[in-house]
């Protein structure tokens, strides 16, 4: 079968040709023979592709100056597996995931591959149309009959009879204050149908913020409140979309334990999560989504958690004999033996510092950072990591006496570029303006510019307005803006938030290669342990009591840094035998007990 998809955001008929006939229309062989394979819809000022007439030659793809057209040939059996299509030449989803009672279904896939569409179908807000959008909408009886004999038959039967109460924890929790106000306690009490508020507040460490207003909460606090509000509601189906964003490692484990506890209450749970270690920890089985983002997505058959995640990393589904990624994602089992930076080339050093924010006190142990070095920052939420980032930036900009400059001309003040935790891009209206700014930057090489634009896939969204971007797209733009700015120190606060698995690892490698090439330095705050492992040369660990006091230790090598941090969190990681990816040990398990006894919480040497 063949599907033709038009990206309407990129299709710009007014700009691609001043004439009535557009390049995609002029050069289409079928149009030249008299067929109306591609036509211009003057009502919406967009071209339309008549899929049934398309020969799949691909000429229109090459001729479109805005890369707005995709024509994909798929195996014929998939034609009978279409679940939903948004319209002519629009995104298409194949197959369905199968939720089960008393189980947690984990969903893995790139952004734009159909995960949100899948959740909408399972919640009943979007009705399956089997790719047939021209006739009248399908009745529930047709949908139930289609899934006859499978577990989805009963699911959609209950959904059609409104027997299922759906609870949905949304992906973008930063918009919650726009729709909800008042105290945290009042919001949660309103949802406390089963009188569980006290225990949930204890499990998610919410007691200290119950009296706060929703509008003043941080990202991590908002996430925990959103998870608590969903849990407290008495539902049948629970949908959690990226519940680990903004949470530190300890909070992620607490969240995972809480979600898993729903399985003992005869509930059905579906979780979309990009942190592989957490997805592995909380899921009973997984479904993979693969395809081309924005074009089509295919849902795999259910897989066991360990096998499914390894399949996703390898990029090859054996039972379907299908490869969806050219190269597998590979993890290193031990920390690098030699540093990648020049330990003798110091960019700057900072003395011991101390600061107060209200009643919170932060102490910083002095240290230094070298050319090409990336210092990864780990610590619980509310311990002062973002304060440290801002303090370094402010001190550099003010040329504070606590900062000692090296290798910087006396006339030239040291410069800093920061990617904040909460992104707000000013001075730009469209993505293309940022791309043009990168292309014109005189201080970076052409290969560096291509790497930024290519790895972050900016060309795919270049015609989009900044205000229209999703959380993941906004994150990619902010990273590009930060790394393309001329600076001596780059400060990145949670660069993996809202990014999918593949993009997280691409961003980690991009930051790694970029800092090495320009021979500058970077501090990176990151809660995803796997991503931090890819990025960092050394680890700076924060200790203390969140919200009360914090202490920034001097940077340590990866083994010592991860050991110190995970020992604080009381969490150990083991390595998968095949992919070598880190996996969280269950507390009290044999591996957990053994690793703690030898004081190896992350990197374990083979005996």
């Amino acid at each position: 079968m063949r599907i033709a998809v038009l990206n309407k955001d990129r299709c710009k008929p007014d700009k691609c040709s001043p004439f009535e006939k557009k390049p995609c229309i002029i050069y289409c062989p079928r149009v030249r023979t008299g067929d109306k394979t591609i036509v211009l819809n003057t009502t919406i000022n967009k071209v339309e592709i008549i899929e049934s007439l398309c020969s799949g030659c691909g000429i229109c793809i090459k001729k479109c100056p805005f890369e707005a057209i995709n024509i994909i040939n798929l195996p014929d059996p998939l034609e009978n597996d279409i679940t939903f299509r948004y319209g002519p030449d629009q995104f298409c989803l194949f197959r369905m995931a199968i939720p089960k009672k008393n189980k947690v279904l984990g969903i893995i896939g790139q952004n734009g591959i159909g995960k949100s569409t899948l959740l909408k179908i399972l919640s009943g807000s979007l009705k399956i149309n089997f790719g047939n959008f021209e006739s009248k909408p399908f009745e529930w009886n047709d949908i139930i009959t289609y899934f006859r004999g499978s577990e989805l038959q009963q699911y959609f039967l209950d959904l059609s009879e409104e027997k299922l109460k759906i609870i949905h924890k949304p992906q973008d929790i930063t918009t919650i204050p726009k729709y909800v106000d008042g105290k945290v306690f009042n919001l949660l009490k309103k949802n406390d149908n089963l009188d569980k508020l006290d225990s949930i507040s204890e499990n998610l460490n919410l007691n200290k913020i119950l009296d706060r207003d929703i509008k003043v909460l941080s990202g991590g606090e908002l996430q925990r409140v959103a998870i608590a509000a969903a849990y407290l509601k008495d539902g049948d189906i629970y949908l959690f979309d990226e519940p680990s964003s903004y949470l530190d490692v300890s909070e992620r484990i607490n969240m995972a334990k809480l979600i898993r506890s729903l399985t003992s209450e005869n509930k059905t749970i579906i979780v979309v999560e990009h942190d592989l270690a957490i997805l592995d920890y909380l899921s009973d089985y997984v479904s993979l989504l693969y395809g081309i983002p924005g074009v089509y997505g295919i849902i795999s058959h259910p897989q066991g958690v360990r096998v499914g995640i390894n399949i996703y990393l390898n990029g090859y589904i054996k039972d379907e004999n299908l490869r969806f990624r050219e190269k597998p994602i590979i993890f290193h089992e031990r920390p690098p033996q030699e540093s990648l930076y020049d330990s003798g080339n110091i960019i700057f050093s900072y003395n011991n510092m101390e600061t107060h924010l209200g009643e919170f006190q932060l102490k910083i142990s002095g240290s230094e950072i070298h050319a090409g070095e990336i210092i990864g920052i780990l610590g619980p939420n509310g311990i002062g990591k973002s304060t440290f980032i801002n303090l370094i930036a402010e001190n550099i900009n003010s040329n504070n006496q606590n900062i000692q400059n090296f290798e910087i001309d006396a006339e030239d003040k040291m410069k800093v570029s920061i990617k904040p935790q909460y992104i707000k891009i000013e001075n730009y209206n469209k993505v293309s303006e940022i791309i043009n700014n990168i292309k014109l930057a005189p201080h970076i090489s052409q290969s560096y510019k291509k790497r930024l634009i290519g790895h972050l896939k900016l060309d795919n969204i270049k015609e989009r307005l900044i205000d229209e971007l999703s959380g993941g797209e906004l994150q990619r733009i902010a990273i590009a803006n930060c790394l393309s700015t001329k600076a001596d120190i780059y400060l990145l606060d949670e660069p993996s938030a809202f990014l999918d698995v593949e993009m997280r690892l691409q961003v980690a490698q991009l930051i790694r290669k970029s800092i090495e090439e320009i021979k500058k330095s970077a501090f990176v705050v990151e809660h995803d342990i796997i991503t931090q492992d890819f990025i960092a040369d050394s680890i700076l660990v924060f200790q203390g009591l969140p919200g009360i006091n914090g202490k920034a230790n001097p940077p340590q090598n990866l083994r010592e840094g991860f050991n110190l941090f995970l020992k604080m969190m009381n969490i150990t990681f083991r390595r998968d035998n095949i992919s070598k990816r880190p996996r969280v040990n269950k507390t009290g398990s044999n591996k957990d007990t053994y690793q703690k006894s030898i004081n190896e919480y992350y990197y374990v040497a083979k005996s």
Side-chain angles (χ1 to χ4, degrees):
M1 67 170 294
R2 180 181 299 113
I3 62 170
V5 176
L6 175 77
N7 188 323
K8 286 185 165 55
D9 290 327
R10 293 192 200 175
C11 182
K12 308 285 182 183
D14 292 339
K15 295 182 180 179
C16 71
S17 172
F19 308 105
E20 183 179 348
K21 292 291 182 79
K22 308 303 173 185
C24 58
I25 299 176
I26 294 173
Y27 293 102
C28 175
R30 296 296 294 265
V31 171
R32 297 170 91 170
T33 60
D35 293 332
K36 293 185 177 181
T37 309
I38 306 178
V39 296
L40 178 65
N41 186 329
T42 55
T43 305
I44 59 174
N45 196 30
K46 303 288 180 185
V47 300
E48 290 182 351
I49 304 171
I50 311 304
E51 215 166 58
S52 59
L53 298 176
C54 176
S55 64
C57 67
I59 293 175
C60 58
I61 300 174
K62 298 176 182 177
K63 294 297 181 181
C64 177
F66 299 111
E67 300 178 358
I69 299 172
N70 277 281
I71 297 175
I72 310 295
N73 291 311
L74 294 170
D76 287 337
L78 281 174
E79 190 168 6
N80 299 321
D81 290 339
I82 296 177
T83 302
F84 186 84
R85 196 164 190 187
Y86 283 95
D89 54 44
Q90 292 298 292
F91 180 84
C92 188
L93 181 68
F94 295 87
R95 301 184 187 149
M96 272 299 298
I98 304 174
K100 299 179 182 179
K101 280 191 176 182
N102 306 320
K103 300 287 184 182
V104 178
L105 166 61
I107 304 294
I108 320 173
Q110 292 176 269
N111 289 332
I113 208 74
K115 299 188 301 296
S116 295
T117 300
L118 171 62
L119 292 186
K120 288 177 182 177
I121 291 172
L122 292 175
S123 69
S125 62
L126 202 61
K127 203 170 182 181
I128 290 174
N129 62 12
F130 301 112
N132 189 350
F133 36 78
E134 295 176 353
S135 60
K136 65 178 183 178
F138 280 85
E139 299 295 333
W140 277 114
N141 285 338
D142 299 321
I143 297 171
I144 294 164
T145 300
Y146 178 85
F147 291 108
R148 185 170 49 199
S150 75
E151 292 168 274
L152 287 170
Q153 179 184 6
Q154 188 61 48
Y155 185 93
F156 286 114
L157 178 61
D158 292 341
L159 196 62
S160 68
E161 296 175 353
E162 299 182 354
K163 291 181 179 179
L164 298 178
K165 184 177 180 182
I166 312 290
I167 309 298
H168 187 193
K169 199 291 292 180
Q171 176 197 44
D172 189 2
I173 45 91
T174 58
T175 60
I176 291 176
K178 296 180 181 178
Y179 307 103
V180 180
D181 56 15
K183 302 289 184 183
V184 172
F185 177 82
N186 295 334
L187 169 65
L188 296 181
K189 192 64 179 175
K190 192 186 301 180
N191 294 305
D192 189 15
N193 298 328
L194 301 174
D195 197 26
K196 292 183 177 180
L197 179 55
D198 291 341
S199 62
I200 297 307
S201 298
E202 185 71 27
N203 290 337
L204 293 179
N205 298 318
L206 294 173
N207 289 323
K208 294 179 182 177
I209 65 170
L210 289 176
D211 291 331
R212 291 190 197 171
D213 194 278
I214 295 290
K215 296 188 184 302
V216 301
L217 297 182
S218 67
E221 291 165 344
L222 268 175
Q223 186 71 271
R224 284 181 283 145
V225 169
I227 292 166
Y231 186 94
L232 289 169
K233 294 176 181 177
D234 186 18
D236 301 295
I237 312 294
Y238 290 81
L239 309 175
F240 292 93
D241 200 345
E242 298 188 31
S244 73
S245 298
Y246 298 117
L247 300 184
D248 64 41
V249 177
S250 178
E251 290 170 342
R252 291 181 184 201
I253 298 296
N254 291 337
M255 170 273 294
K257 288 178 179 177
L258 186 69
I259 291 176
R260 280 210 57 82
S261 69
L262 285 167
T263 60
S264 63
E265 300 178 17
N266 205 33
K267 308 297 184 183
T268 301
I269 305 103
I270 301 103
V271 179
V272 174
E273 181 53 65
H274 296 306
D275 185 332
L276 292 182
I278 297 303
L279 186 75
D280 187 0
Y281 188 85
L282 65 81
S283 300
D284 292 300
Y285 64 110
V286 297
S287 282
L288 322 178
L289 272 79
Y290 59 92
I292 299 177
V295 180
Y296 74 95
I298 301 173
I299 301 169
S300 77
H301 303 303
Q303 305 282 349
V305 180
R306 176 180 170 274
V307 172
I309 293 178
N310 285 350
I311 286 173
Y312 187 77
L313 294 174
N314 191 40
Y316 175 71
I317 303 178
K318 188 175 181 179
D319 61 357
E320 298 182 36
N321 191 27
L322 187 143
R323 178 164 291 283
F324 58 88
R325 187 187 300 111
E326 291 183 9
K327 296 180 180 179
I329 297 171
I330 300 172
F331 296 88
H332 53 262
E333 192 170 2
R334 295 183 179 85
Q337 298 299 311
E338 296 181 3
S339 298
L340 298 173
Y341 60 89
D342 181 0
S343 59
N345 192 0
I346 301 173
I347 290 287
F348 82 97
S349 66
Y350 53 95
N351 298 324
N352 293 343
M353 291 185 279
E354 186 174 334
T355 187
H356 292 79
L357 288 174
E359 297 181 356
F360 178 76
Q361 180 187 37
L362 175 63
K363 293 182 179 180
I364 299 169
S365 298
S367 187
E368 61 190 29
I369 188 168
H370 307 80
E373 181 182 12
I374 298 176
I375 295 179
I377 297 177
L378 290 172
N381 284 332
I383 203 73
K385 300 185 302 298
S386 295
T387 302
F388 171 79
I389 288 286
N390 293 327
L391 188 63
I392 292 291
E394 290 169 7
N395 281 340
I396 290 174
N397 288 336
S398 63
N399 209 14
N400 188 288
Q401 61 180 358
N402 284 317
I403 301 293
Q404 299 176 23
N405 297 349
F406 294 85
E407 289 222 329
I408 307 296
D409 295 337
E411 306 172 353
D412 218 2
K413 189 192 292 186
M414 182 177 284
K415 297 181 179 65
V416 62
S417 178
I418 184 168
K419 198 293 294 180
Q421 180 183 20
Y422 304 110
I423 300 166
K424 186 177 181 182
I425 296 179
E426 299 175 338
N427 305 322
Y428 296 103
N429 292 318
K430 290 181 69 175
V431 175
S432 57
E433 295 173 14
I434 293 178
I435 294 175
N436 291 335
N437 191 50
I438 293 173
K439 289 179 177 178
L440 295 173
H443 62 281
I444 51 179
S445 66
Q446 288 300 318
S447 62
Y448 185 94
K449 296 171 186 176
K450 287 180 180 178
R451 187 188 307 135
L452 280 183
I453 296 170
H455 276 59
L456 295 171
K457 299 181 180 178
L458 302 187
D459 278 332
N460 295 348
I461 55 173
K462 63 184 178 183
E463 296 300 324
R464 301 277 298 280
L465 296 173
I466 298 293
D467 292 340
E468 296 175 350
L469 299 178
S470 67
E473 292 166 340
L474 199 61
Q475 187 74 266
R476 283 150 51 194
I477 289 297
I479 292 168
N481 199 28
C482 173
L483 293 178
S484 63
T485 301
K486 187 176 182 179
D488 303 290
I489 307 293
Y490 292 85
L491 309 173
L492 295 104
D493 200 344
E494 298 192 36
S496 77
F498 301 118
L499 300 182
D500 60 47
V501 176
E502 294 185 340
M503 185 54 68
R504 285 183 183 205
L505 299 181
Q506 282 201 53
V507 163
Q509 292 168 349
L510 173 69
I511 295 171
R512 170 80 271 146
K513 290 180 180 178
S514 299
I515 298 301
E516 285 175 21
E517 179 177 322
I518 60 179
K519 291 181 169 37
K520 299 301 181 181
S521 308
F523 288 95
V524 179
V525 177
E526 182 54 65
H527 292 305
D528 187 328
I529 291 289
I530 297 175
T531 303
Q532 189 70 281
D533 190 13
F534 266 81
I535 295 175
D537 293 303
S538 51
I539 298 293
L540 190 160
V541 178
F542 276 71
Q543 294 176 285
L545 293 173
I548 299 174
N549 62 72
K551 178 187 176 184
N553 294 299
Q556 301 171 284
N557 63 48
L558 293 183
R559 182 184 292 278
E560 293 173 352
F562 278 122
N563 261 3
L564 175 60
F565 175 67
L566 293 175
K567 193 171 186 177
M568 288 165 44
M569 300 290 104
N570 195 32
I571 298 166
T572 60
F573 282 75
R574 68 188 185 279
R575 296 280 168 169
D576 184 81
N577 293 331
I578 298 174
S579 66
K580 307 305 178 187
R581 64 182 172 86
R583 304 181 69 192
V584 182
N585 291 321
K586 298 288 192 295
T587 304
S589 67
N590 290 336
K591 289 183 187 277
D592 179 65
T593 303
Y594 169 70
Q595 288 181 224
K596 287 175 180 175
S597 70
I598 63 172
N599 198 36
E600 291 287 359
Y601 285 68
Y602 192 67
Y603 297 107
V604 182
K606 289 184 177 179
S607 55

